[in-house]
Amino acid sequence: MTKYQPSQIEPKWQKYWQDQGTYNFEYDSKKPYFYNLVELPYPSGDLHVGHWFAFVTPDVIARFKRMTGHNVFFTNGYDAFGLPAENAAIKRGIHPKDWTYANMESMTKQFQTLGTMIDWRFSLATCDPEYYKWNQWIFLKLMEKDLAYLGKALSNWCPSCQTVLANENVDGGKCWRCGSEVIQKEVSQWFYKITDYADKLIWPESPKVDWPMSVRVGQNNWIGKSEGVEITFPVQDSEHKITVFTVYPETIFGVTYLVLAPESPLVSELTTPECEAAVTKYVQEASKKSELERKSLEKQKTGCFTGRYVINPVNDQKVPVWVSDYVIAGYGTGAVMGVPGSDERDFSFAEKYDLPVIRVIGKSADDLSEVLSIEEALEEGILVNSSQFDGLKSPKEARPRIIEWLISQGFAKSKIQYHLHDWSISRQRYWGTPVPVIHCPTDGLVPVPEKDLPVELPYDVDFAPKGKPPLASDEKWLKVDCPKCGGPAERDAETLDTFMDSSWYYYRYLDPHYSDGPFNPEKVKQLMPVSIYFGGAEHTLGHTLYARFMTKFFKDLGLVDLDEFANKRVQHGTVLGPDGNKMSKSKGNVINPDDVVKEYGSDTVRLYLCFMMPYEAVGPWSQSAIAGAYRFITRIWDLSDNLSDSLPDKASLIKLNQTIDKVTGDLKSIKTNTAIAALMEWLNFLAKKPKLTKIEYKNLLLLLAPFAPHLTEQLWQDHFDKQSIHLQAWPAVDQAYLRDEEVTIPISINGKVRDSILVSSQKTGDQEAIEQLALERPKIQAYLKGQKPLKVIYVSGKILNLVIN
RNA sequence: GCCGAAGUGAUGGAAUGGUAGACAUGAAGGUCUCAAAAACCUUUGAUCGCAAGGUCAUGUGGGUUCGACUCCCACCUUCGGCACCA
């Protein structure tokens, strides 16, 4: 008997598959296509078992699909632009490009030791000019359709470094490099008008594609369509007006104050001289808080009176105007009406600043004085204190009536508001796709002509921020002739968000060197949509929404004929360190796959990763549990010494077919952990027998092949066939051998199991006979004490329940 | 705060209305060995009992049902996301 030594067989088969082209994908429509896609990883350089966890299950599914007769397309690339490369450059003086390419090379090598069927011939890196040329092309198309524009938005700004900071580089409100206090500053940047697609991006109740409910609900909430009205309040002693958005216009008579966002331009215009000092101070303080902080500090709302009043148009009441950071400038009009009688947040604000509270929704028509609690008020009630609208049911009757009236009086107009805002697409960074726009003093914004694409990223630039984007430091690159007038002009020095890169790469995969467009439409017709898109739950709101947007835009351009890019979305969890914490270098709990592979071989690592928990779960790596996976594999290996040519007996055939059935079903629903448990159970059954038949062993290897490709290839070619096991067909279930010959039927009394009987599986449908058998049992008789059961419930083949008093 | 997901033995987990704890890890005992490791065998939710057997048990509290980890209501805790990390 030879000993199982993965280090000897694994590299050998990896080379064999490579040489034979075992996993080479060919466009050939004889079999149905299956496009297996995993989110392309960022080449951070520290590939850890988490990456493997994300990729192993998709690889198992890809192999399973292949064996069940599909032509599977499975490749992988790199999301290679981004901040970490630039951080490394700033911290350690390595050029982002060199750092990124070195990481991609080492990660690809590590990936290959995993033994996946990824066809690397279709790989791509988003930092390759051949790729980002088409990023720029898409940008120009969006610009052409008025869907890309230069606007303004608040960003983290370090006053000392004179640069915009990513959220990640803001550490407790301080700049990660110099420690200065970070403020919110309005900077100009490019946007995509994703809001034009808001309605198209809303998921219908029952979509045609299979995406998790959590994603659909999450995205719909994120898009946050709400229908309401904009109400205009004239400012007292001023020409100004303040417009607020509300979905609860029926509470208009309960307005006791108005709030402006600190960033609203109206703040400085309206604040009276006596309040100016306090308001200015307040606005400054607010600029130090992030949006999330502002939304979080629910209990400690702060604000400042501007000294100004508006007139509530419905009743001519004087209403004070406040500034508070719980109002966000970017949402709605940047101003809200305060209705403390019907909104908890407004109520706590009013309480704190001693503002009046008017209840406008009461409990019943008989007693208009009795008001509802705030939570109940917006659900259902009767309008009170609302002039001619008193007594109307709220919101059903009151809302439409009040809206109609407000509009007819010219106080308001109806408005659909989205929570989603336009996609900020440009970054003041170096390592990204240059924005293909030229700023000309005479012609303004001039798109770079298509023939001049790509606008290549220059290599030698100064990354140290000094008030302008790094690219602006390369004068030679920056200065160009305007394509329109030929006069002196400058390139846009910003780069595109990396979410742009990752929003359409799966089209490019299909023919990554295609040169007549961003992707090859013929191949897209054949392979798209993606069959399963595997990826992280953290992309629910960002990446997958952007990718859907891109597909809808391509459809409008006539480039594709798809509504959604992926038929199915599966989200994976995370592998934590052995200590239960997130793996991180600083905690020293990172498991490097190279080390585990050296000790156990990659088949064991693959098997363990598939077995440890469901794909969607989050859980710790266990150094001892992986030994169990290794034990399982060596037991399979050792069994090969004891094979017989005889035929399996009936009980063995039943177990064999039940296992095929279970593993097949589990793989169809992507439950690798229970599929492996079924294989282990079968192995425990087989190990008890003196001899193992070849038929059983053959099927065992086939079922195990997706999980442990190297081991099964070795054993297959040693014992059965010189053609690769990965080119074999998946075992079929023989329905004749699925049911056990005898089944145990539990007997319960009042729902508690007290006994059980063994029945031939033919007879499970015969309730009378089973009931008879059950009543004959002495244990059951003891419970019945001679009485007849009040009621008998029999679930065929499952349980017999007797109800007694 | 808002949105989403999850809470089951010592541990990872299984069971989506029908015998809770499959499978694995760990632990305890045993076989083999001069010894150890490996391997193999047995036991392993708690509790009462000599045993037969009983009682309790799936985050907490209620409810629906002949029967609830599973469905409904309320609450608690943990995790993920919240727009410049990818």
Side-chain angles (χ1 to χ4, degrees):
Chain A
M1 180 202 282
T2 54
K3 197 172 172 282
Y4 172 57
Q5 284 179 306
S7 61
Q8 304 206 338
I9 64 170
E10 290 182 351
K12 179 184 80 183
W13 290 115
Q14 282 161 16
K15 183 169 185 305
Y16 170 90
W17 296 327
Q18 178 78 37
D19 294 347
Q20 301 279 312
T22 310
Y23 303 131
N24 283 359
F25 170 81
E26 301 300 338
Y27 282 96
D28 161 15
S29 55
K30 269 175 249 151
K31 297 177 191 165
Y33 287 112
F34 187 88
Y35 186 172
N36 197 58
L37 180 67
V38 186
E39 278 166 6
L40 83 177
Y42 180 78
S44 57
D46 56 344
L47 189 96
H48 55 74
V49 285
H51 289 99
W52 279 38
F53 179 73
F55 271 87
V56 167
T57 292
D59 186 56
V60 168
I61 300 303
R63 290 170 176 278
F64 168 66
K65 284 288 170 186
R66 227 165 93 109
M67 291 175 83
T68 52
H70 294 81
N71 188 7
V72 177
F73 178 71
F74 185 24
T75 188
N76 180 45
Y78 293 102
D79 190 10
F81 273 138
L83 189 64
E86 214 162 316
N87 288 349
I90 294 170
K91 273 192 171 162
R92 286 180 274 157
I94 311 165
H95 192 279
K97 184 175 177 181
D98 302 338
W99 184 84
T100 304
Y101 275 89
N103 284 347
M104 288 194 289
E105 204 188 318
S106 68
M107 276 177 81
T108 302
K109 271 191 197 137
Q110 279 183 304
F111 263 118
Q112 281 165 343
T113 65
L114 179 58
T116 65
M117 56 169 279
I118 288 172
D119 188 345
W120 291 93
R121 299 173 309 158
F122 292 84
S123 185
L124 59 81
T126 58
C127 65
D128 190 334
E130 188 188 44
Y131 184 83
Y132 70 69
K133 168 182 179 177
W134 299 106
N135 259 352
Q136 295 171 335
W137 184 90
I138 296 164
F139 178 96
L140 294 176
K141 286 289 165 202
L142 282 153
M143 213 176 153
E144 211 176 288
K145 302 282 174 199
D146 271 330
L147 290 166
Y149 66 96
L150 196 56
K152 281 183 192 304
L154 287 179
S155 291
N156 303 316
W157 178 265
C158 173
S160 145
C161 299
Q162 288 283 296
T163 187
V164 174
L165 292 175
N167 285 345
E168 195 188 55
N169 291 345
V170 179
D171 196 3
K174 310 263 165 71
C175 170
W176 69 306
R177 293 184 66 215
C178 69
S180 314
E181 191 132 353
V182 173
I183 61 161
Q184 297 298 307
K185 190 187 164 188
E186 196 163 67
V187 296
S188 110
Q189 54 192 271
W190 288 92
F191 290 88
Y192 286 163
K193 234 187 250 176
I194 192 172
T195 47
D196 273 16
Y197 281 75
D199 279 316
K200 282 186 180 171
L201 288 168
I202 293 173
W203 288 96
E205 194 76 21
S206 26
K208 288 186 194 115
V209 294
D210 178 15
W211 279 50
M213 182 71 110
S214 61
V215 175
R216 281 152 37 209
V217 169
Q219 293 193 349
N220 283 357
N221 288 339
W222 182 247
I223 293 165
K225 182 176 184 173
S226 49
E227 292 173 45
V229 292
E230 278 184 354
I231 305 173
T232 303
F233 292 77
V235 179
Q236 199 179 34
D237 309 324
S238 159
E239 293 297 296
H240 287 288
K241 287 182 164 109
I242 301 178
T243 301
V244 303
F245 173 77
T246 179
V247 287
Y248 304 112
E250 66 272 20
T251 63
I252 181 75
F253 288 90
V255 174
T256 59
Y257 65 97
L258 237 61
V259 188
L260 295 173
E263 301 79 19
S264 168
L266 285 171
V267 172
S268 58
E269 285 174 41
L270 294 183
T271 303
T272 57
E274 37 303 356
C275 294
E276 204 176 324
V279 168
T280 308
K281 185 162 172 267
Y282 182 79
V283 170
Q284 266 178 10
E285 287 298 314
S287 75
K288 289 175 191 161
K289 294 187 204 164
S290 72
E291 198 167 303
L292 183 56
E293 268 178 309
R294 286 166 51 171
K295 284 189 250 175
S296 300
L297 297 172
E298 188 74 15
K299 300 252 152 61
Q300 317 141 29
K301 291 276 168 273
T302 58
C304 190
F305 181 46
T306 60
R308 206 50 101 134
Y309 293 86
V310 292
I311 302 299
N312 187 343
V314 301
N315 56 9
D316 292 332
Q317 293 274 321
K318 232 172 87 174
V319 174
V321 178
W322 285 65
V323 185
S324 174
D325 61 14
Y326 78 84
V327 178
I328 307 290
Y331 182 70
T333 59
V336 301
M337 57 188 214
V339 189
S342 305
D343 183 293
E344 289 213 64
R345 194 177 53 179
D346 292 351
F347 183 78
S348 63
F349 188 83
E351 222 176 17
K352 178 163 178 182
Y353 294 106
D354 227 359
L355 294 159
V357 178
I358 302 173
R359 295 298 188 102
V360 288
I361 299 172
K363 241 176 202 163
S364 66
D366 313 330
D367 183 6
L368 294 184
S369 64
E370 198 184 351
V371 293
L372 283 170
S373 75
I374 288 169
E375 306 91 75
E376 292 164 321
L378 294 173
E379 296 287 323
E380 206 185 330
I382 302 290
L383 241 57
V384 296
N385 296 325
S386 298
S387 173
Q388 71 266 42
F389 300 101
D390 278 358
L392 286 180
K393 274 194 190 133
S394 169
K396 250 193 190 156
E397 296 171 357
R399 190 176 296 172
R401 290 275 293 276
I402 290 193
I403 291 176
E404 196 189 326
W405 179 71
L406 286 171
I407 293 172
S408 72
Q409 297 294 306
F411 301 149
K413 57 176 192 184
S414 46
K415 165 92 181 173
I416 293 173
Q417 183 68 48
Y418 297 94
H419 172 254
L420 180 75
H421 47 74
D422 282 342
W423 177 7
S424 152
I425 190 75
S426 62
R427 303 287 179 263
Q428 295 199 317
R429 307 248 170 69
Y430 164 70
W431 192 232
T433 304
V435 172
V437 171
I438 289 162
H439 296 254
C440 170
T442 34
D443 295 309
L445 298 173
V446 182
V448 171
E450 200 179 317
K451 65 173 174 51
D452 294 339
L453 297 183
V455 177
E456 284 209 39
L457 197 59
Y459 185 85
D460 286 312
V461 298
D462 183 2
F463 311 119
K466 25 177 123 48
K468 51 184 184 178
L471 282 179
S473 73
D474 186 345
E475 291 271 320
K476 231 175 87 194
W477 180 86
L478 196 71
K479 302 263 184 247
V480 281
D481 295 337
C482 170
K484 256 194 188 162
C485 66
E490 282 190 0
R491 292 190 185 282
D492 193 295
E494 305 213 335
T495 51
L496 296 177
D497 179 12
T498 56
F499 276 123
M500 167 82 200
D501 311 348
S502 57
S503 63
W504 66 281
Y505 70 98
Y506 42 87
Y507 288 104
R508 185 81 189 162
Y509 269 171
L510 304 179
D511 190 354
H513 306 294
Y514 185 70
S515 55
D516 295 337
F519 48 81
N520 184 332
E522 283 310 306
K523 310 292 188 199
V524 167
K525 254 185 222 153
Q526 291 180 71
L527 266 165
M528 289 292 289
V530 168
S531 307
I532 306 183
Y533 190 22
F534 296 92
E538 66 276 22
H539 292 299
T540 297
L541 300 182
H543 163 66
T544 52
L545 189 69
Y546 296 141
R548 292 179 58 223
F549 163 62
M550 214 39 93
T551 291
K552 290 177 193 296
F553 174 62
F554 289 164
K555 187 179 181 182
D556 286 351
L557 278 185
L559 292 178
V560 303
D561 187 22
L562 293 167
D563 289 312
E564 297 290 348
F565 73 97
N567 276 338
K568 185 178 172 74
R569 166 81 175 171
V570 174
Q571 315 232 55
H572 61 72
T574 13
V575 181
L576 305 173
D579 56 359
N581 292 308
K582 237 182 204 162
M583 284 192 199
S584 78
K585 273 184 188 162
S586 58
K587 285 206 180 103
N589 61 354
V590 175
I591 303 291
N592 185 322
D594 292 347
D595 302 336
V596 214
V597 167
K598 211 174 281 171
E599 198 174 347
Y600 295 108
S602 56
D603 280 337
T604 296
V605 180
R606 290 173 60 106
L607 196 84
Y608 172 62
L609 288 171
C610 288
F611 180 63
M612 66 183 286
M613 59 185 183
Y615 191 58
E616 309 76 41
V618 178
W621 175 269
S622 160
Q623 211 57 256
S624 57
I626 191 174
Y630 184 74
R631 232 166 271 159
F632 172 74
I633 281 188
T634 47
R635 283 172 76 197
I636 300 268
W637 176 269
D638 293 344
L639 275 184
S640 69
D641 282 342
N642 200 19
L643 298 182
S644 108
D645 283 315
S646 57
L647 293 176
D649 55 31
K650 192 163 181 203
S652 300
L653 281 176
I654 289 172
K655 191 73 188 164
L656 162 76
N657 280 284
Q658 285 176 337
T659 307
I660 295 173
D661 191 49
K662 171 77 176 148
V663 173
T664 308
D666 282 348
L667 286 181
K668 278 184 185 160
S669 45
I670 316 182
K671 284 161 70 179
T672 56
N673 57 331
T674 48
I676 291 169
L679 289 171
M680 288 175 165
E681 212 176 311
W682 191 25
L683 177 66
N684 291 339
F685 171 89
L686 294 173
K688 289 200 179 92
K689 307 204 303 183
K691 277 270 178 191
L692 180 61
T693 65
K694 282 192 173 169
I695 289 176
E696 286 166 297
Y697 198 56
K698 199 171 180 173
N699 279 292
L700 180 61
L701 293 181
L702 288 167
L703 294 183
L704 191 59
F707 301 98
H710 312 84
L711 169 93
T712 50
E713 184 76 289
Q714 180 72 47
L715 293 168
W716 180 264
Q717 299 213 12
D718 281 354
H719 296 281
F720 298 108
D721 190 347
K722 287 296 164 204
Q723 195 198 37
S724 172
I725 189 170
H726 304 298
L727 299 173
Q728 308 300 320
W730 189 252
V733 174
D734 184 344
Q735 297 291 333
Y737 294 102
L738 263 190
R739 288 171 77 192
D740 283 313
E741 296 189 277
E742 287 190 310
V743 292
T744 306
I745 309 246
I747 305 157
S748 65
I749 291 175
N750 290 344
K752 275 187 194 268
V753 174
R754 298 298 182 185
D755 202 357
S756 63
I757 48 174
L758 203 59
V759 192
S760 145
S761 62
Q762 314 294 319
K763 294 210 179 128
T764 54
D766 188 350
Q767 177 172 349
E768 236 170 85
I770 285 163
E771 212 178 305
Q772 194 55 42
L773 280 171
L775 294 175
E776 280 165 14
R777 304 284 293 183
K779 253 188 97 173
I780 298 302
Q781 286 177 356
Y783 276 98
L784 289 176
K785 291 184 191 126
Q787 297 170 22
K788 267 185 135 185
L790 298 174
K791 197 172 167 188
V792 179
I793 292 134
Y794 178 62
V795 183
S796 184
K798 289 266 174 79
I799 198 164
L800 180 79
N801 188 30
L802 308 175
V803 184
I804 61 172
N805 52 17

